[in-house]
Amino acid sequence: MPRPEILNPLFALVTSLSGVGPRQDKLLRYLLGRSETPRVVDLLLHLPSNAIDRRARPKVRDAVPGTVATLEVTIDRHRPSLPGRSRTPYLVYASDETGDVLLTYFRGKRDYIEKLLPIGEKRYVSGTVQIFDGTLQMVHPDRVVDEQGLAKLSGIEPVYPLTEGLALGSLRRAIALALQKLPTLPEWISPEVLRRCSFPPLSEALRRVHVPLELTDILPDRPFWSRLAFDELLAGQLALALVRAQLRRPAGARHAGDGHLRSKVIDALPYALTSSQREAVAAIAHDLQQPMRMLRLLQGDVGSGKTVVALLAAAAVAEAGKQAALMAPTEILARQHIKTIAPLAARAGLRVAIITGREKGKDRRDILAQIAAGELDLLVGTHALIQDDVIFKSLALAIVDEQHRFGVRERLALTSKGDAVDVLVLSATPIPRTLVLTYFGDMDISELREKPAGRQPIDTRALPSSRLNEVVDAVGRAVKAGKLVYWICPLVEESETIEHLTDATTRFETLRERFGDQVGLVHGQMKGAEKDRVMAQFAAAEIHVLVATTVVEVGVDVPAATIMVIENAERFGLAQLHQLRGRIGRGSEASTCLLLYREPLGEMSAARLRVIRETTDGFRIAEEDLRLRGEGEVLGTRQSGLPGYRIARPEVHTQLIAQARDEALRIMRDNPKLDGPSGEALRCLLYLYERDEAIPLIGAG
Ligand code: ADP
Ligand code: MG
């Protein structure tokens, strides 16, 4: 189904906008998190984090220091920087009838300033005023306009999240051009919902967040932003509903056997299952036994023992002579799974193998032949699992680890490799139930809330970074005692930029000076094999200190590691801190986590560190996280959104998630093939929010 033509202007590349060249392209890719040139729609959905109010037009005498003011002044005289001393500022003296104000330029170009602020003329200057040396000053006015320009000076200017090298002004100009491209799109929200939620039309919503008339227009909880959030959530829910409709049909087959392999696995375990593991296994076995397809989410903290539950699920289908697949998002995770699984499987007589990008040539061919011949019961792997030449004899169970990293397409590609494949999703990110809907739609849920027996508590402490030396000393003692230490360096935002890589690299080098080749480094830009090699050295205690960016966040299992240092802990979100800390406290030895923070510590960061010190219960942490985010929502503090969502905010829009779900269900009931004009409008929505991969499912079969 081709994209509706009406969307073309929005899918034009940003480089088609005047003033957006290759340099901007690169910066915008980074800013908007896209690997290719962003489209006009991506700019429009980049929403302000703040706004500047230039409406205050006081007399000079009444200007309030520390605020933004637009002053009407006459330019009296210039005092250029002293020759040869370019560090002295260029000063422009200006005044109105009530007083004087100094306009200060550091490294100002003389020609430019003389033109901008001609002596004897009237100008409007807008910027933050300050008192400096007893004089009212405006350092680098943001705006300087004459009478004519004043008409065009917007009263309220949006401020956007930026990236280094990208100027606010050029981003604003690009967004203004993008707004002009906005076509009149059909309304996809039903009249009832529009009325109930008081949503404005899309075009008005976009205009008002980018060209606010009031400071509050840009707040996420106002109707403009909320309308956009609802659209995004509706697109997500509709896509999930389409997938679900597809998966529910045809009715699944009965896939569980008599339990003989499961008991063998359980007998082979060196430990007893926790009661929540037993409950999860029972629920899964029950689902597998139903003629309806299973769609179950298994949630549990890192280390809560999901892998063995997954293995038991695979054993259940193997008992019935069928196959299972376990797909992980990364090579490291896939290998981790096979490491846990292989010895247990061997003792139970389950045949397992792994396939990733690294299995090549004959190895790969052998595995493919075995899986096609039904000689393997469980195939573990990465995306490599969904390649076309991977053909199962009888795939009955698809287990997907860390699901929300996979799109709809991957999920379907795996389930389409068998008939009526049951789906088990593993998630190590405990999500409050309200949010489960966002990612998974209506799924059955099993939670692993208890920690396996024998786990030692983690002693978590917070220290100011001024005590770094003590921490390094402590690490030195630990290394001497043979302990394994993770040393985490921060990443701002989700992506690993070069800049933050140097944080890790620099720390690696300083620690190396002290501890020599006891220290290793892993980061996201390293090749898989290289990363694995360093991880393996750490796991084998050939190195004792592993400096890492957040690549160790997910799923890495080195039970012997008992110490973790997290630098700039104040920059991490609660969920991330929790995930990171989950790398330790996995063995039988007591563990310590040291959170180094930079002072001064903001209120929110302090609250986060407090929570993380108080508890290791991921579900509680997730709830606290949501609560804190809710409290922190004030003008100007941009909170991070839901992963995979750009606009919807968990702390503001939880109500909307349920409403979007209900609306998606209504659509599936009333118009499952998205026919007619309202269906066409919904297709537009799916394209806009990149959920169009669900479109081929509409009414299929
Ligand atoms: P998750 O995948 O949930 O992060 P894993 O399945 O990797 O956790 O389990 C973490 C570790 O705990 C593994 O070494 C596993 O063998 C062990 N484990 C799992 N279940 C139990 C249990 N009931 N008692 C003791 N140890 C367990
Ligand atoms: Mg795991």
Side-chain angles (χ1 to χ4, degrees):
M1 181 87 43
R3 190 171 67 213
E5 268 176 32
I6 190 166
L7 294 177
N8 289 354
L10 292 175
F11 283 80
L13 300 181
V14 289
T15 41
S16 69
L17 300 171
S18 76
V20 181
R23 206 181 80 87
Q24 259 82 12
D25 176 12
K26 222 163 120 209
L27 294 167
L28 288 174
R29 279 185 207 204
Y30 182 65
L31 178 70
L32 303 172
R34 306 198 65 89
S35 51
E36 318 223 315
T37 300
R39 295 88 32 97
V40 166
V41 59
D42 300 315
L43 270 181
L44 289 178
L45 296 179
H46 186 63
L47 302 188
S49 51
N50 208 338
I52 298 175
D53 189 348
R54 300 199 183 281
R55 290 174 302 180
R57 300 267 307 273
K59 290 291 173 199
V60 168
R61 184 187 48 206
D62 304 324
V64 181
T67 65
V68 174
T70 302
L71 304 174
E72 176 184 346
V73 293
T74 306
I75 309 306
D76 301 322
R77 67 191 170 91
H78 284 213
R79 202 198 73 188
S81 319
L82 300 176
R85 293 181 50 194
S86 60
R87 290 175 70 193
T88 58
Y90 189 122
L91 300 178
V92 177
Y93 293 81
S95 62
D96 66 7
E97 68 279 12
T98 68
D100 298 327
V101 59
L102 208 50
L103 311 177
T104 309
Y105 290 86
F106 291 96
R107 278 188 266 159
K109 287 237 169 48
R110 182 168 185 161
D111 295 354
Y112 168 76
I113 298 175
E114 280 176 350
K115 252 225 209 91
L116 188 70
L117 296 158
I119 294 172
E121 306 228 346
K122 193 164 82 180
R123 287 291 180 269
Y124 296 86
V125 295
S126 187
T128 306
V129 288
Q130 291 161 335
I131 297 278
F132 204 74
D133 279 347
T135 319
L136 193 70
Q137 297 205 18
M138 192 183 285
V139 178
H140 290 263
D142 303 324
R143 295 278 177 281
V144 176
V145 294
D146 58 14
E147 199 76 48
Q148 279 172 330
L150 183 66
K152 276 191 264 164
L153 189 74
S154 42
I156 298 179
E157 289 177 355
V159 174
Y160 296 94
L162 291 171
T163 186
E164 201 179 330
L166 184 67
L168 183 56
S170 77
L171 180 61
R172 276 205 198 116
R173 272 192 298 282
I175 290 176
L177 290 172
L179 269 180
Q180 290 173 14
K181 303 262 173 183
L182 184 66
T184 307
L185 297 175
E187 182 58 78
W188 43 74
I189 302 182
S190 67
E192 302 84 77
V193 175
L194 282 177
R195 206 169 325 111
R196 177 155 30 92
C197 301
S198 321
F199 286 146
L202 175 71
S203 56
E204 187 186 340
L206 281 172
R207 290 214 168 85
R208 281 287 283 276
V209 291
H210 290 299
V211 190
L213 300 179
E214 289 300 330
L215 279 177
T216 51
D217 286 355
I218 62 155
L219 292 181
D221 62 354
R222 293 307 152 102
F224 309 108
W225 189 308
S226 293
R227 145 97 216 205
L228 301 173
F230 184 82
D231 284 350
E232 183 179 42
L233 291 165
L234 179 60
Q237 290 300 312
L238 189 56
L240 284 170
L242 288 164
V243 173
R244 199 157 49 239
Q246 172 85 350
L247 287 179
R248 289 286 191 207
R249 171 190 51 82
R254 296 170 194 271
H255 285 145
D258 58 5
H260 75 278
L261 289 173
R262 273 169 281 171
S263 4
K264 279 193 187 165
V265 172
I266 291 172
D267 289 345
L269 292 174
Y271 48 76
L273 293 177
T274 64
S275 59
S276 53
Q277 281 173 319
R278 280 201 304 275
E279 281 163 30
V281 172
I284 292 165
H286 173 83
D287 288 355
L288 291 171
Q289 210 42 270
Q290 299 303 304
M292 184 86 146
R293 273 204 199 200
M294 169 166 82
L295 278 177
R296 182 170 286 274
L297 173 65
L298 176 62
Q299 283 205 87
D301 260 326
V302 280
S304 60
K306 293 183 294 298
T307 309
V308 66
V309 174
L311 174 62
L312 286 164
V317 299
E319 289 158 11
K322 308 253 168 73
Q323 294 170 304
L326 167 53
M327 179 160 72
T330 64
E331 171 105 33
I332 293 188
L333 280 176
R335 300 220 172 265
Q336 205 105 69
H337 279 306
I338 198 81
K339 206 176 92 195
T340 310
I341 285 172
L344 297 170
R347 294 183 52 187
L350 272 167
R351 298 158 302 174
V352 301
I354 183 167
I355 188 163
T356 71
R358 271 161 62 192
E359 276 65 40
K360 294 203 178 94
K362 181 167 180 324
D363 279 356
R364 185 163 191 280
R365 281 196 302 276
D366 286 350
I367 294 168
L368 293 184
Q370 288 172 353
I371 199 77
E375 291 160 17
L376 288 175
D377 301 305
L378 171 62
L379 186 58
V380 176
T382 55
H383 287 83
L385 275 176
I386 56 180
Q387 282 159 6
D388 285 342
D389 57 356
V390 181
I391 296 162
F392 290 83
K393 178 154 188 265
S394 57
L395 181 67
L397 172 64
I399 307 168
V400 184
D401 193 4
E402 289 296 333
Q403 156 93 21
H404 59 253
R405 298 184 174 221
F406 291 113
V408 168
R409 197 180 305 132
E410 281 101 339
R411 218 189 303 175
L412 284 174
L414 189 55
T415 56
S416 66
K417 287 183 180 286
D419 289 325
V421 173
D422 285 309
V423 178
L424 176 66
V425 171
L426 311 183
S427 171
T429 318
I431 314 176
R433 276 179 185 256
T434 40
L435 296 187
V436 165
L437 255 186
T438 323
Y439 293 112
F440 305 107
D442 289 314
M443 275 190 143
D444 297 312
I445 302 175
S446 296
E447 286 177 353
L448 299 184
R449 276 199 172 232
E450 341 151 52
K451 298 260 180 296
R455 292 285 155 77
Q456 297 292 320
I458 302 175
D459 179 16
T460 304
R461 298 182 213 172
L463 305 159
S465 53
S466 53
R467 293 175 62 187
L468 178 71
N469 285 339
E470 287 170 54
V471 172
V472 175
D473 289 343
V475 166
R477 288 191 296 276
V479 169
K480 221 174 231 146
K483 300 193 185 216
L484 297 182
V485 182
Y486 286 109
W487 188 297
I488 310 295
C489 291
L491 296 174
V492 183
E493 330 237 70
E494 295 291 317
S495 51
E496 300 209 349
T497 66
I498 302 303
E499 182 187 341
H500 300 115
L501 266 183
T502 38
D503 288 353
T505 315
T506 312
R507 181 60 66 216
F508 168 66
E509 272 152 16
T510 53
L511 290 175
R512 216 178 157 92
E513 270 165 34
R514 172 92 181 247
F515 304 119
D517 52 14
Q518 292 288 343
V519 189
L521 172 69
V522 287
H523 58 67
Q525 311 274 305
M526 281 161 74
K527 291 242 159 52
E530 175 67 7
K531 229 184 313 190
D532 291 358
R533 190 181 58 77
V534 181
M535 289 302 310
Q537 284 179 320
F538 185 59
E542 287 161 23
I543 54 175
H544 282 83
V545 181
L546 184 69
V547 179
T549 59
T550 43
V551 288
V552 297
E553 185 179 338
V554 180
V556 170
D557 191 17
V558 181
T562 52
I563 296 173
M564 176 172 282
V565 179
I566 303 180
E567 276 198 70
N568 291 113
E570 79 282 357
R571 291 205 206 159
F572 291 100
L574 260 183
Q576 211 178 9
L577 285 173
H578 175 63
Q579 292 280 320
L580 284 168
R581 185 177 55 181
R583 305 294 105 226
I584 57 171
R586 303 180 70 123
S588 50
E589 269 196 67
S591 293
T592 307
C593 179
L594 299 176
L595 307 168
L596 280 172
Y597 59 86
R598 198 170 282 173
E599 291 174 296
L601 196 56
E603 209 177 296
M604 267 307 133
S605 310
R608 285 202 298 267
L609 296 186
R610 201 173 319 121
V611 171
I612 207 82
R613 282 197 335 256
E614 275 171 12
T615 183
T616 51
D617 175 350
F619 290 93
R620 211 198 117 197
I621 288 171
E623 281 148 20
E624 290 287 333
D625 192 21
L626 201 57
R627 191 179 61 74
L628 284 176
R629 283 157 172 257
E631 283 181 7
E633 188 58 43
V634 288
L635 184 66
T637 59
R638 188 181 172 92
Q639 303 285 330
S640 56
L642 297 158
Y645 286 75
R646 287 186 272 191
I647 294 172
R649 298 291 177 73
E651 67 280 11
V652 189
H653 299 123
T654 22
Q655 298 297 325
L656 292 185
I657 297 171
Q659 304 209 31
R661 191 266 316 257
D662 292 346
E663 185 68 356
L665 294 181
R666 186 195 59 73
I667 293 163
M668 292 307 289
R669 213 170 41 238
D670 297 352
N671 185 8
K673 298 198 169 179
L674 306 190
D675 288 328
S678 73
E680 178 77 9
L682 288 163
R683 283 167 212 249
C684 285
L685 173 69
L686 290 172
Y687 274 103
L688 273 187
Y689 284 95
E690 296 182 279
R691 306 289 167 159
D692 51 289
E693 39 189 21
I695 286 180
L697 306 177
I698 297 167

